[in-house]
Amino acid sequence: FSVTKDDCDWQNFTCGGKGGSGKDTSNNGARCTHRASGAAGEARDTRSQLLNRRAAFRRMVESKEFCAWYKIEVAWRLG
């Protein structure tokens, strides 16, 4: 089985900080929440929404909650 972006809820938001006025007015921050495990990842590193979405998904997959859910799911599927 695989976990894809469709298994997650996505939120986009504005984030301040370094990067100029374009960063303050655009929805470039991303938050990814996995529905089954409740694990979340958030990124606001760059001005690119696409790169922030990728980073948020990566951080969600690397979280403790997701790793614990993944181990249980794999064990359940293997019997």
Side-chain angles (χ1 to χ4, degrees):
F1 77 103
S2 63
V3 177
T4 64
K5 64 179 182 174
D6 296 331
D7 299 327
C8 301
D9 292 325
W10 291 91
Q11 296 174 338
N12 297 318
F13 54 91
T14 59
C15 54
K18 296 180 182 177
S21 60
K23 187 172 182 179
D24 297 335
T25 59
S26 61
N27 288 330
N28 54 359
R31 185 177 298 117
C32 172
T33 306
H34 187 244
R35 289 185 204 106
S37 66
E42 183 176 302
R44 55 178 80 193
D45 304 335
T46 66
R47 291 181 65 178
S48 168
Q49 187 183 78
L50 178 63
L51 295 177
N52 284 336
R53 285 174 66 97
R54 288 178 182 170
F57 188 80
R58 189 177 328 108
R59 290 174 185 171
M60 182 273 300
V61 169
E62 294 171 351
S63 70
K64 292 178 184 179
E65 295 90 0
F66 183 82
C67 290
W69 172 84
Y70 184 78
K71 287 180 182 179
I72 292 170
E73 188 70 18
V74 167
W76 181 78
R77 289 177 185 257
L78 293 176

